Amino acid sequence: MCENPYYTAEQHGDFDLFELEDFVLEQGATLRNASLAYKTFGQLNKEADNAILFPVMFSGTHAAMATYVGSELALNPEKYFIIIPNQLGGGLSTSPHNTQGEYGGASFPMLSIGDDVRAQHKLLNEHFGIRTLQLVTGWSMGAQQTYEWAVRYPNMVTRALPIAGTAKTTPHCGLYVDVFCEALNSDPAWKNGAYKNANDVSEGLCRMARVFAMMGASHELFNEKSWSNFGFSSTEDFLAGFWENWFLPMDPNNLLCMAKKWRSGDVSQHTGGNLESALHRIKAKMLVVAFKQDMFITEADCRREQQMIANSEFVSISSQWGHFSMLGMSRDDFKIINSCLERLLAAPV
Amino acid sequence: MCENPYYTAEQHGDFDLFELEDFVLEQGATLRNASLAYKTFGQLNKEADNAILFPVMFSGTHAAMATYVGSELALNPEKYFIIIPNQLGGGLSTSPHNTQGEYGGASFPMLSIGDDVRAQHKLLNEHFGIRTLQLVTGWSMGAQQTYEWAVRYPNMVTRALPIAGTAKTTPHCGLYVDVFCEALNSDPAWKNGAYKNANDVSEGLCRMARVFAMMGASHELFNEKSWSNFGFSSTEDFLAGFWENWFLPMDPNNLLCMAKKWRSGDVSQHTGGNLESALHRIKAKMLVVAFKQDMFITEADCRREQQMIANSEFVSISSQWGHFSMLGMSRDDFKIINSCLERLLAAPV
């Protein structure tokens, strides 16, 4: 394995590492000397009851979500202690690209959403002494973790706000994950994961980026050339400058590891496969947010699950950025998402 | 090039060949001794004014559309003379896989929708002496040809019924075509088109099939496991038995040739790039049909164009089969499409 300059504090800003030591995964493997990368904002109060957990999406790090943290925003670090944990496999935590030996690279063991949540629970519990969370929120795979938190540790989660993500990956979304993984790992340069340098696999990474562009943003964004509002000069320039630019510096094995985790996301594993029973375990007050034009985590997918949750409401946000509205490319999207967070945090529980 | 047993009368039923002789393409190349494969139903009357033209979709032949022809159906061969032309590049007409010499295989020249329409016009005019068409209808790329007919030969087309296809390929649909072409031609066995046997490229063909499955059928079809109504036993069985089974016997260069044609479809080429002007040339009475759950030729795409056409109406059909509703897997889809054809044919012009 080579060092990858993308997965550094230079690229993503400072972060901390929590030693998970020998961390046994749900599928049975042990990640030895594993660590969880995270970033905090604000101060934990004496009662340790002002914490917010904000897990991240596929291919994202704490840096991508930190824009939602600010003293004028719902996630106000002057009031709350905000923790953004990075995913296992995400590149800053223990991941295929930074693991040596039997579990390095493509031999990295299968992770589950539950593994991330258990690692985060360990951090909160052992390192910070946090027993209650004001809010768990996250987008996409961050929403998967949000659901897992609310179902696995119902007494700890006061409020939960999953954004464009599901408690159980749908069959269609599973097909989407397969399609973009195949776009990547069909590149002969991937070599079953034994490439020398991540950027040898640039063709596969570009193909994967275009699958994300096709399914992640809306038809309107392309057909009305709305990319021009964001500094792009043509469809090709938008594909290259936004989508390919996002994925090209990343490590293929890290991405494939996270994708497998995404595909297997399913809180009904706690209740013998019964999704409704699993969602009935939730005690949190919930606001379920969907993006109307999202083609891989659809409004209907989010709505279906929300209807099984007792103390919940549903909000659908219309934006040409579809699934990627969360990136806040449009200031309007950012504002409405922030207002959802504000509303749930203000709600009595 | 090897013979491909898929592109035969054994597979698709009898058809006729019209000699196009040396056919000059819009991009400048000449297809020497070219031929257009077609199938007719019924009899042309003495006035030669009872003809219906029904061009076919991407990867389809006359056989796939012949189910819409029958004495109990709108396309009644006891009343009408129905011609289903196969696409140039589609495998039965002159195509990459059956062309020798300088234009064989991957060297086959770039085709346009206009080339198909001009070849069909030559057949109708020179072979049958047809000067007027009661109806032109087609699905997907068949709809592209329908629009091209109505704009290019406005005096000849009395009625036109494009189904889930556009007059001008949208940027998002162009990206879709790129994504499925890349799924296919990224297979190293494609060898830039110089493969020995089409089925050497089966991995690429399967990848392409899964992109079609993801974008062509609806989320509901997968998420509600509605494939079980059509004899499939699991998502994987549906992907293999329906989608892969469709594409696997086909020739990759034929598919890529048709895809390039699809991507370049644009009737505004007749009016210096002005789509509205091009659509204003249409004299036909039109019924524009869209499939609500279609993810690559959206309802909005079809509606936008219909609104630019003077004598037109819009119908949107809701079906879990999305773009592929036209295959009539669900008898309800078949019936409603047939009733649209019936309605337009019955309308006075």
Side-chain angles (χ1 to χ4, degrees), chain B residues 5-256:
Chain B
Y6 180 74
Y7 299 110
T8 57
E10 285 68 46
Q11 285 294 315
H12 299 281
D14 282 342
F15 56 88
D16 293 300
L17 286 177
F18 173 64
E19 299 306 328
L20 294 165
E21 297 169 355
D22 289 355
F23 188 71
V24 182
L25 302 175
E26 292 190 329
Q27 296 283 318
T30 298
L31 286 184
R32 292 184 172 76
N33 301 311
S35 61
L36 179 68
Y38 67 98
K39 174 82 180 168
T40 65
F41 304 84
Q43 301 293 327
L44 186 63
N45 63 13
K46 271 188 205 158
E47 300 76 16
D49 67 359
N50 70 332
I52 289 175
L53 186 73
F54 189 6
V56 301
M57 74 290 195
F58 177 77
S59 83
T61 70
H62 61 273
M65 291 295 100
T67 48
Y68 282 94
V69 179
S71 56
E72 312 283 298
L73 301 172
L75 304 186
N76 182 353
E78 292 170 14
K79 185 168 178 192
Y80 298 109
F81 179 58
I82 301 148
I83 306 142
I84 309 187
N86 286 275
Q87 283 193 42
L88 297 171
L92 300 181
S93 300
T94 293
S95 299
H97 93 282
N98 61 20
T99 298
Q100 312 295 323
E102 75 276 24
Y103 289 148
S107 305
F108 199 79
M110 170 85 190
L111 298 173
S112 66
I113 298 290
D115 290 328
D116 277 290
V117 167
R118 288 187 309 115
Q120 294 159 16
H121 184 263
K122 199 170 153 76
L123 166 69
L124 266 54
N125 217 313
E126 297 178 12
H127 188 67
F128 291 116
I130 294 170
R131 298 283 182 273
T132 185
L133 285 163
Q134 285 299 323
L135 171 70
V136 183
T137 186
W139 166 49
S140 202
M141 282 188 78
Q144 290 184 296
Q145 295 167 71
T146 300
Y147 274 113
E148 181 70 22
W149 262 98
V151 170
R152 186 183 280 261
Y153 304 116
N155 293 321
M156 206 168 154
V157 182
T158 312
R159 296 177 191 81
L161 197 151
I163 304 169
T166 52
K168 177 176 176 157
T169 298
T170 64
H172 188 272
C173 190
L175 175 59
Y176 171 64
V177 174
D178 289 345
V179 164
F180 78 69
C181 286
E182 287 179 355
L184 173 53
N185 67 23
S186 62
D187 186 341
W190 180 61
K191 293 183 180 172
N192 292 311
Y195 50 84
K196 260 201 176 146
N197 294 294
N199 57 16
D200 294 345
V201 198
S202 58
E203 282 189 27
L205 287 164
C206 284
R207 276 203 294 276
M208 181 179 134
R210 286 191 288 273
V211 176
F212 264 84
M214 175 179 80
M215 290 287 284
S218 67
H219 290 80
E220 300 98 289
L221 189 71
F222 286 91
N223 295 346
E224 296 171 16
K225 302 186 180 180
S226 306
W227 36 252
S228 66
N229 301 330
F230 305 95
F232 301 101
S233 54
S234 64
T235 304
E236 272 312 309
D237 189 51
F238 177 49
L239 291 172
F242 188 82
W243 301 94
E244 296 177 6
N245 185 50
W246 176 263
F247 287 113
L248 269 172
M250 298 184 188
D251 181 83
N253 289 334
N254 287 359
L255 292 168
L256 294 165

Side-chain angles (χ1 to χ4, degrees), chain B residues 302-339:
Chain B
C302 298
R303 179 74 169 148
R304 194 184 309 115
E305 292 183 344
Q306 179 268 329
Q307 287 173 328
M308 300 183 207
I309 302 168
N311 193 8
S312 69
E313 277 184 73
F314 181 73
V315 167
S316 178
I317 298 171
S318 181
S319 163
Q320 291 195 345
W321 281 91
H323 188 74
F324 291 89
S325 302
M326 186 73 183
L327 292 179
M329 293 291 290
S330 148
R331 196 70 199 163
D332 288 344
D333 295 345
F334 182 86
K335 279 186 192 163
I336 194 165
I337 293 163
N338 181 64
S339 74

Side-chain angles (χ1 to χ4, degrees), chain B residues 271-285:
Chain B
T271 48
N274 188 323
L275 182 60
E276 197 147 11
S277 299
L279 295 174
H280 284 170
R281 290 178 57 161
I282 296 175
K283 294 185 177 172
K285 186 176 179 70

